[in-house]
């Protein structure tokens, strides 16, 4: 769903996600090589029609926020990242994340062991 957005709309959506809420003017100052303010407003309108963002009026300006559940946004972003950088390998992504940590907490290792055991049971 999110992954099918055109690149510029995705960029605007990602910026709204990162900010929590933002106006077109806010996004114009945040985006690298930003389109015009009117182009940002058009993209926000499209995103709202598609159900990705919603708006409220504060001090006579539209302020946009994400309309999708946070978990859905995170899941979709992570799936895109895994597909793009790890050729679809969740294990490769997990190994990279663990490798980035200087020290993995014992309780985190316990959680990983539980997840591995559960995956083994489900694959049997």
């Amino acid at each position: 769903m999110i992954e099918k957005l055109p690149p510029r709309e995705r960029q605007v959506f990602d910026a709204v996600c990162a900010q929590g809420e933002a106006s077109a003017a806010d996004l114009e100052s945040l985006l690298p090589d930003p389109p015009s303010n009117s182009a940002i407003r058009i993209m926000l309108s499209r995103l709202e029609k598609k159900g990705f963002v919603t708006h409220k009026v504060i001090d006579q300006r539209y302020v946009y926020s994400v309309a999708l559940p946070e978990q859905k946004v995170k899941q979709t972003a992570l799936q895109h990242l895994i597909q793009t950088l790890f050729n679809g390998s969740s294990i490769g992504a997990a190994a990279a994340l663990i490798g980035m940590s200087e020290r993995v907490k014992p309780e985190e290792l316990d959680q990983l062991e539980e997840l591995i055991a559960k995956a083994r049971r489900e694959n049997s």
Side-chain angles (χ1 to χ4, degrees):
M1 157 161 59
I2 295 168
E3 66 279 356
K4 293 184 179 167
L5 289 174
R8 272 304 216 183
E9 284 184 23
R10 176 63 189 257
Q11 187 181 36
V12 169
F13 178 74
D14 288 345
V16 173
C17 288
Q19 294 301 304
E21 61 179 30
S23 67
D26 296 333
L27 294 170
E28 189 176 8
S29 67
L30 292 169
L31 294 171
D33 189 28
S36 68
N37 186 279
S38 61
I40 292 172
R41 288 194 320 269
I42 290 168
M43 284 185 267
L44 286 165
S45 177
R46 286 182 189 155
L47 288 167
E48 189 166 25
K49 285 178 185 167
K50 293 176 183 179
F52 291 95
V53 299
T54 188
H55 80 273
K56 57 187 172 186
V57 180
I58 300 176
D59 296 330
Q60 298 181 343
R61 63 185 191 136
Y62 281 32
V63 177
Y64 292 84
S65 58
V66 178
L68 301 173
E70 183 179 355
Q71 185 60 32
K72 180 67 175 171
V73 173
K74 288 179 181 179
Q75 181 182 13
T76 303
L78 193 53
Q79 286 171 336
H80 178 71
L81 179 78
I82 290 169
Q83 190 63 44
T84 303
L85 299 179
F86 298 96
N87 295 324
S89 172
S90 299
I91 301 305
L97 289 170
I98 292 169
M100 290 173 54
S101 299
E102 289 185 22
R103 185 174 185 283
V104 180
K105 297 176 187 172
E107 57 270 14
E108 292 174 323
L109 290 172
D110 292 341
Q111 288 176 330
L112 285 171
E113 287 174 351
E114 288 175 25
L115 289 170
I116 291 168
K118 180 182 175 190
R120 286 190 177 165
R121 284 191 303 273
E122 290 173 357
N123 286 333
S124 299

